[in-house]
Amino acid sequence: MHLLYLDESGHPHDPSTQFFVLAGVAVFERSTHWVESRINPIAARFSPHDPSAIEFHGSPMYSARDDWSGVTPADRVQALVDVLSLLGNAQLQLRVFASVIEKSTLPQNQILERSFEAVAHQFDQYLADMWTRRRDPQRGLVVCDKASYEQKLQALSSLFKHEGHALGRLRNFAEVPLFLDSKASRLIQLADLVAYWIFRYYQSKDSRGFQLIEPSILRRGTLRVGLTASVTPATEQELARIQPHKYPFPNPTV
């Protein structure tokens, strides 16, 4: 069984932002413990006696809110870098999946559906490839933050499995998406950071977090397939012109 932990950044109906991102991290079921065991010591820097009290959450970490109020910028950034750098740990074999939609390219009522369709399809193909290449019969389960679009995503998953979608039909999902409290799941928190920093890349043209994420986006051969983007040509040109940030991220310490 492979688990795809998903979270979103932005909102389809928020006029103050241009983009909606649905993104997350796929992990083999037996690796979840090892991911958590590497994240908890980072949290212990800020709450040694109760690391579970610290939640890694992209927007509060960036703006020093909630658990991160009063934490120095240097410490917040280092914690972020150390968590995102786990994506590159070869032993954990984490894979990033994401859908980015520039909201001007689709009607508002289609944005969530198209986002989930894109991510679910690529995750399903990832599982199918395991059978095709290695005769490894893996099934998948999507796990989301309970604050997300629970009823909508469950209905879409069932629809895509039994009736299909524009890209085919989901054939390797074990169940409709499950929903957890992000406070209780380090993997949901990791998905939140991935979604937030992909969002910042497109929305704010801040590539620092995306540079840590991009190598772990699923590839099929040399083709990057784990991220699908519906954006305007103007956005593509802006992304191509991004300059190095004046405050680069430090190297990871873990």
Side-chain angles (χ1 to χ4, degrees):
M1 176 81 72
H2 280 69
L3 307 175
L4 174 60
Y5 291 85
L6 277 183
D7 207 353
E8 81 279 350
S9 193
H11 194 286
H13 304 292
D14 181 1
S16 68
T17 59
Q18 292 175 258
F19 299 90
F20 176 75
V21 173
L22 184 67
V25 179
V27 58
F28 182 55
E29 58 180 296
R30 289 202 292 270
S31 295
T32 58
H33 166 76
W34 302 111
V35 176
E36 182 176 349
S37 71
R38 285 164 170 78
I39 294 178
N40 280 336
I42 302 171
R45 300 174 194 170
F46 308 98
S47 180
H49 301 295
D50 186 14
S52 65
I54 299 297
E55 181 174 3
F56 295 95
H57 195 49
S59 181
M61 288 182 77
Y62 182 78
S63 55
R65 292 185 285 107
D66 302 337
D67 294 338
W68 302 94
S69 176
V71 179
T72 68
D75 288 341
R76 284 185 279 121
V77 168
Q78 191 64 65
L80 166 70
V81 168
D82 289 346
V83 173
L84 285 182
S85 70
L86 295 175
L87 295 171
N89 185 312
Q91 291 181 316
L92 299 176
Q93 296 186 336
L94 302 174
R95 297 291 181 270
V96 170
F97 293 81
S99 170
V100 180
I101 293 180
E102 189 164 359
K103 292 186 288 186
S104 64
T105 66
L106 280 178
Q108 285 185 347
N109 62 357
Q110 294 182 20
I111 291 173
L112 179 62
E113 179 175 345
R114 293 293 171 243
S115 296
F116 184 67
E117 177 184 82
V119 172
H121 173 68
Q122 289 300 340
F123 182 48
D124 193 58
Q125 287 296 112
Y126 173 59
L127 299 170
D129 286 348
M130 293 181 190
W131 171 253
T132 301
R133 296 175 182 178
R134 306 194 300 268
R135 289 298 186 263
D136 184 5
Q138 292 292 322
R139 289 293 179 261
L141 184 65
V142 174
V143 184
C144 303
D145 184 354
K146 72 175 185 179
S148 298
Y149 308 88
E150 183 167 354
Q151 291 182 334
K152 180 67 171 176
L153 292 184
Q154 288 179 341
L156 287 172
S157 180
S158 180
L159 176 68
F160 294 166
K161 179 176 180 179
H162 296 291
E163 299 184 28
H165 53 82
L167 302 172
R169 180 180 293 180
L170 301 182
R171 301 183 183 278
N172 299 286
F173 278 31
E175 184 54 279
V176 297
L178 302 182
F179 291 77
L180 300 178
D181 185 345
S182 62
K183 192 78 173 177
S185 172
R186 291 297 188 202
L187 274 300
I188 289 286
Q189 294 170 33
L190 178 56
D192 177 282
L193 295 180
V194 167
Y196 179 75
W197 282 93
I198 292 176
F199 175 81
R200 278 199 61 82
Y201 174 61
Y202 284 87
Q203 178 70 34
S204 303
K205 310 304 180 283
D206 179 351
S207 63
R208 294 173 296 173
F210 187 77
Q211 289 171 350
L212 295 172
I213 296 165
E214 200 276 337
S216 297
I217 296 172
L218 178 69
R219 283 167 170 77
R220 192 169 292 118
T222 60
L223 185 64
R224 190 180 75 183
V225 298
L227 186 151
T228 61
S230 174
V231 300
T232 62
T235 291
E236 293 178 347
Q237 293 169 11
E238 288 182 67
L239 294 174
R241 295 195 299 264
I242 290 178
Q243 297 297 312
H245 200 280
K246 69 181 293 187
Y247 299 113
F249 279 173
N251 292 324
T253 60
V254 296

